[in-house]
Amino acid sequence: MKPSIVNAGADAVIVYFADEISIEANQRVLQLDSAIASSDLAILETVPAYSSLMVYYDITRHSDTDIRASIKAIIESLPELQQVNAEQGQTHVIPVYYDETVGPDLARIAELHGCSVEEVIERHCRDSYRVYALGFAPGFAYMGEVAEDLQAPRLDSPRTRIPAGSVAIAERQTAIYPLASPGGWNIIGRTTFPLYEPQKGILNQLNSGDTVRFKAISKDEFITAGGSVEAFE
Amino acid sequence: MIEVIEPGMYATIQDFGRLGYLKKGLTRGGPIDENAFLWGNYLLKNEAGAAQIEIVLGGSKFKFTSAAAVAVCGADVSLKLDNEDRNIWETFQVEAGQVLSIGPARSGLRAYLAVAGGIQVEPQWGSCATVKREQLGGHRGDGSALQKGDTLAIEPSTCELTQRIPWRYRPDYSKPPVLGLIPGFQYDQFAMAEREKLSFHEYKISQQSDRMGIRLEGPAIEYAGKGLVSEGINIGSVQVPPNGQPIIMMNDRQTLGGYPKLGNISPLDLSRLAQCRPGQTVQFTRVEVAKVQQQLTNYYDFFGITPACQTDH
């Protein structure tokens, strides 16, 4: 698909590199994001997502027509991606306490794939995941791709309250709930990895393009790290 | 200081909003009737983004422990300073010890209480805008609304001369607004007959509307295009969920989402939308982005807003 630049409001445009999830499109998004940041365009902020980049600009300095032409020129000048596997970001290891008290969907996923709960945990820790996008809520990172032998559809009816730090799977994606909130993803464990603590000024250390690995820890390690085994309602 | 005697249904601290953190998932927040908010600061010669109190439906009481020049703009509320009437859309003096009562709104939904110098609240990530969903901002820094007994810091000030907003600039919130739609996002992927529905029908404001999104009720709009991968959402984006009832995203919107969008409402029309009550009707008309940008540039210029360019955080 050829990149397209579409209006996204009075002060923004959005650039689409693909209409589905792919590492290459996501790398293109980040490539354009940094090229725009180092250009002399008057940019207010950008929102990189899976395969699109939204660009807010200063309308007192660029018109809609003008910014489209400038962004088009930047896209055309982008160098070829070296190789699809080139890692652009940092690597994070996130400790997770996997247990049915804090991961009520472990057994269901095991049943879905005809394996044991232990195997579900091993599979989640086996692969590394790319951070495709941050957003929806502060600190929420969309990570993928979850292997086929671990994927699970969203719940038919979302839970009304998922505790902060819950590690979740939905289809090909995995994520951590930064704050207690309603949600329909499958919950498999809990982490103390700080994602969003507004009172302490902590905001997500993860960035788009980073790599994440999950590491299973014991209940003792989890509690020592300040974890809470608060049960689901 | 201002002491909250009665917050009313829902009152929050709002400044111009948290800008520059969409990339990290933080939404903007800020006044959802930006126009009324800006007039308040304009009247008091404050900085355009100085913090005010956003009051939903009125019914609030505040005791001032120091003298202040104040102005209330927005929803048509009655004002009593102790037992004397005061007018909205103009400045007046409050003496130490006086109580300002804001009556129920007769039209419109949100009133803004501005004080000279702005309400003094510690910013978090550059702003003190209250965003409940993010547990962020406001006088407690946790996204909570004002509560009885809360105290808010202000700088003592005097109102030398009454400043008024001319009548021609005061919106009539009882009239149904016409909202300008700038086609964008997935507009071209909607069938012609579907995207035209907004222009040819009236839509009603749903009860389930809040600072995140204003939901509409009317002829369902069908989207038969490809399913979306989550992408950025602007303030004013017109989302069409599977039930076909549009949602206009407001200041507390989530930063990414996966519903198709027809485009965006002109920022200049969102302030009027923010004052619509459930059951009120709205109409849509297509507008050209170039025209909206021209109007917005004049508007920014008038209120002294300089868009903050930033490339990194």
Side-chain angles (χ1 to χ4, degrees):
Chain A
M1 178 179 152
K2 236 182 101 208
S4 59
I5 307 172
V6 176
N7 181 277
D11 56 353
V13 291
I14 184 163
V15 184
Y16 295 105
F17 285 95
D19 54 8
E20 56 199 13
I21 300 175
S22 80
I23 293 181
E24 193 185 336
N26 194 240
Q27 287 180 325
R28 281 281 180 197
V29 167
L30 300 185
Q31 199 189 16
L32 177 62
D33 193 21
S34 57
I36 285 180
S38 54
S39 74
D40 56 5
L41 296 176
I43 302 302
L44 307 183
E45 52 185 317
T46 56
V47 190
Y50 283 100
S51 51
S52 66
L53 180 72
M54 194 164 162
V55 182
Y56 288 83
Y57 59 97
D58 179 355
I59 60 156
T60 66
R61 287 161 67 186
H62 305 290
S63 70
D64 177 73
T65 323
D66 173 30
I67 198 84
R68 283 161 187 259
S70 304
I71 293 176
K72 187 164 179 279
I74 294 178
I75 293 171
E76 281 163 2
S77 71
L78 290 178
E80 288 297 308
L81 289 173
Q82 294 305 312
Q83 52 183 70
V84 171
N85 289 328
E87 293 304 343
Q88 290 161 309
Q90 291 174 279
T91 298
H92 308 266
V93 177
I94 298 184
V96 180
Y97 172 47
Y98 296 95
D99 188 82
E100 286 179 61
T101 52
V102 293
D105 297 316
L106 278 170
R108 218 167 42 82
I109 297 176
E111 197 184 338
L112 198 65
H113 293 288
C115 66
S116 67
V117 163
E118 288 67 35
E119 281 171 297
V120 170
I121 298 167
E122 278 168 31
R123 289 172 190 180
H124 195 245
C125 296
R126 175 188 61 200
D127 298 320
S128 53
Y129 301 97
R130 176 183 178 84
V131 177
Y132 277 96
L134 285 160
F136 166 65
F140 193 94
Y142 293 86
M143 297 176 266
E145 301 210 345
V146 171
E148 261 179 49
D149 60 5
L150 185 58
Q151 293 176 10
R154 287 179 174 77
L155 306 188
D156 289 338
S157 167
R159 290 190 173 91
T160 52
R161 189 177 181 279
I162 292 176
S166 290
V167 178
I169 288 176
E171 314 288 354
R172 297 180 296 165
Q173 305 173 95
T174 183
I176 305 162
Y177 283 88
L179 283 176
S181 65
W185 290 33
N186 301 276
I187 309 300
I188 59 171
R190 203 174 289 173
T191 181
T192 56
F193 189 80
L195 289 164
Y196 180 58
E197 294 172 35
Q199 313 291 317
K200 294 186 195 159
I202 294 174
L203 182 59
N204 218 335
Q205 308 164 21
L206 308 175
N207 287 300
S208 297
D210 283 0
T211 300
V212 167
R213 290 192 77 99
F214 295 99
K215 188 184 106 188
I217 56 168
S218 68
K219 186 177 178 178
D220 283 351
E221 288 173 296
F222 178 66
I223 302 281
T224 308
S228 150
V229 290
E230 171 200 1
F232 278 73
E233 280 158 15
Chain B
M1 277 206 308
I2 298 179
E3 190 190 324
V4 180
I5 297 179
E6 191 55 67
M9 196 176 88
Y10 191 66
T12 54
I13 302 287
Q14 298 294 343
D15 62 10
F16 203 60
R18 207 162 275 108
L19 304 169
Y21 294 94
L22 291 175
K23 203 177 239 185
K24 288 282 195 180
L26 292 182
T27 195
R28 174 176 161 190
I32 90 164
D33 180 350
E34 191 180 278
N35 183 59
F37 173 91
L38 288 172
W39 276 122
N41 282 336
Y42 180 88
L43 283 175
L44 293 161
K45 299 182 175 62
N46 288 345
E47 280 187 25
Q52 303 182 11
I53 304 175
E54 181 179 278
I55 298 159
V56 179
L57 280 172
S60 320
K61 267 186 192 176
F62 302 99
K63 183 175 184 172
F64 285 69
T65 61
S66 52
V70 310
V72 176
C73 295
D76 185 16
V77 289
S78 62
L79 299 180
K80 289 262 186 209
L81 185 58
D82 287 340
N83 291 316
E84 284 177 39
D85 290 333
R86 287 291 180 273
N87 296 320
I88 58 170
W89 301 107
E90 65 182 46
T91 59
F92 56 91
Q93 173 75 26
V94 178
E95 300 300 345
Q98 287 190 302
V99 173
L100 177 64
S101 307
I102 298 175
R106 290 170 291 229
S107 72
L109 204 55
R110 295 174 167 91
Y112 292 85
L113 169 60
V115 300
I119 310 248
Q120 305 297 307
V121 178
E122 199 59 42
Q124 293 163 286
W125 290 295
S127 163
C128 64
T130 308
V131 181
K132 184 182 170 195
R133 189 171 47 86
E134 294 179 351
Q135 300 175 14
L136 179 61
H139 58 306
R140 294 165 198 262
D142 63 359
S144 59
L146 297 185
Q147 280 152 40
K148 203 178 276 217
D150 283 350
T151 53
L152 305 168
I154 58 168
E155 286 164 2
S157 58
T158 338
C159 182
E160 304 286 354
L161 192 69
T162 300
Q163 302 287 333
R164 288 193 180 86
I165 304 297
W167 281 97
R168 66 177 184 283
Y169 294 123
R170 302 186 189 186
D172 179 354
Y173 299 129
S174 61
K175 284 189 185 152
V178 179
L179 309 174
L181 174 78
I182 306 164
F185 290 111
Q186 287 74 36
Y187 184 81
D188 290 339
Q189 283 136 263
F190 281 86
M192 178 94 80
E194 298 302 317
R195 63 167 98 119
E196 294 298 315
K197 278 181 180 164
L198 276 188
S199 310
F200 292 112
H201 300 277
E202 282 189 344
Y203 282 80
K204 219 193 297 183
I205 308 284
S206 152
Q207 196 76 44
Q208 279 146 350
S209 298
D210 54 23
R211 288 182 42 91
M212 245 181 114
I214 294 182
R215 290 168 187 259
L216 303 178
E217 289 166 359
I221 299 168
E222 197 188 321
Y223 175 75
K226 202 176 171 210
L228 255 63
V229 180
S230 288
E231 62 181 38
I233 301 175
N234 206 342
I235 295 174
S237 289
V238 183
Q239 275 195 172
V240 181
N243 70 4
Q245 302 295 313
I247 306 172
I248 302 176
M249 305 312 287
M250 301 301 280
N251 295 51
D252 292 1
R253 75 199 186 287
Q254 69 274 26
T255 59
L256 295 182
Y259 289 137
K261 298 172 283 296
L262 278 161
N264 295 272
I265 301 304
S266 161
L268 294 160
D269 297 334
L270 287 177
S271 292
R272 274 295 284 111
L273 175 65
Q275 293 287 4
C276 288
R277 296 182 173 198
Q280 261 189 290
T281 57
V282 295
Q283 289 172 16
F284 295 87
T285 183
R286 262 188 70 160
V287 290
E288 296 299 324
V289 64
K291 195 176 162 211
V292 174
Q293 292 189 330
Q294 189 52 56
Q295 292 168 336
L296 260 182
T297 303
N298 295 339
Y299 178 82
Y300 286 168
D301 194 43
F302 178 84
F303 285 111
I305 298 166
T306 327
C309 286
Q310 39 206 316
T311 46
D312 208 2
H313 266 289

